[in-house]
Amino acid sequence: MAVAACGSSGSESGSDGGGSGGGDDSITMGFSQVGAESGWRTANTKSVQESAAKAGITLKFSDAQQKQENQIKAIRSFVQQRVDVIAFSPVVESGWDTVLKEAQNAKIPVILTDRAVDSKDTTLYKTFLGSDFIEEGKKAGQWLVEEYKDATGTVNIVELQGTTGSAPANDRKEGFAEVIGADPKFKVIASQTGDFTRAKGKEVMEAFLKSNPDIDVLYAHNDDMGLGAIEAIEGAGKVPGQDIKIITVDAVKDGMQALADGKINFIVECSPLLGPQLMDLAKKVVKGEQVPARVVTEETTFTQEQAEQVLSTRQY
Ligand code: GYE
């Protein structure tokens, strides 16, 4: 609100194109996306772009290629351009206070979408829209506990983590560890980042297979890494879904296809379709209306049978 009031040059105040005073209530949103690392991300970008167009919101879109420095630059540039609202999906959790303070000083509201920041000062952003990643990790663990409830021997697990320092990697690891930690037969024998990409998932799984002859389960923090790992497992002459049970997160189409085909055993859904809710929140925030501090995405889980049933109607 009243962005113009703090502008140093009076001549700028009428030309910022934003919702600050005047009769012009069109909204410009600066959106800093993580990158294009996965099927989830592609679907998320599409959802944001389509929803902005539908809501009549002008979108300035910037792709950070999984680099925090690029996101900081993009946010600074949005502040300079005096957009009405900034939305971003922080690639990692820490290190945002300075740039978020700059946006706050410029009186530009910030919305976190998809991923959280760990800033102590929660006034730096208006709301956080996205999934509960700890819950997702727990759901993955609960399936495993149930699947192996009668097993007496050790269950050797390898884990492909998401981008180091990212909220989904931290939280999916934590939720999973908490649930399986209740039974000492579950052992995570290797855990490494695969950066949420297919290529890295394959590469790291190849290394896991070389150094661990006896892997029972793979837990991958997203479908893409799981799909890369499937190639590695097949390349090593093993049968994914049977010799090695696989749990992933996201439920994008390619993942769901592999689940229906029996190559993945269980997928925890994480919805990328955040665009419509994001645009609603943006409109409210720009108007200065109250919004909930946290909006959690609703999600489910899929077994192989369930995947077969919903595959044809899957939107992403
Ligand atoms: O699970 C993964 C993507 O932040 C929820 O990022 C998102 C994650 C998603 O690369 O596929």
Side-chain angles (χ1 to χ4, degrees), residues 206-234:
E206 275 166 358
F208 282 169
L209 285 160
K210 270 193 200 126
S211 43
N212 307 282
D214 198 14
I215 300 170
D216 300 305
V217 175
L218 162 67
Y219 169 44
H221 290 186
N222 80 344
D223 289 345
D224 281 84
M225 292 189 293
L227 291 164
I230 286 172
E231 291 177 33
I233 293 167
E234 286 172 339

Side-chain angles (χ1 to χ4, degrees), residues 34 36-41 66 89-90 114-115 131 133 136 163 166-168 172 195-197 221-224 249-250 252 270-271:
V34 168
E37 73 282 4
S38 64
W40 190 100
R41 191 61 55 195
Q66 295 236 65
S89 176
D114 158 34
R115 297 183 183 179
S131 309
F133 300 133
E136 290 173 351
T163 304
S166 69
R172 286 173 185 166
D195 263 343
F196 279 131
T197 68
H221 290 186
N222 80 344
D223 289 345
D224 281 84
V249 185
D250 276 355
V252 295
C270 177
S271 175

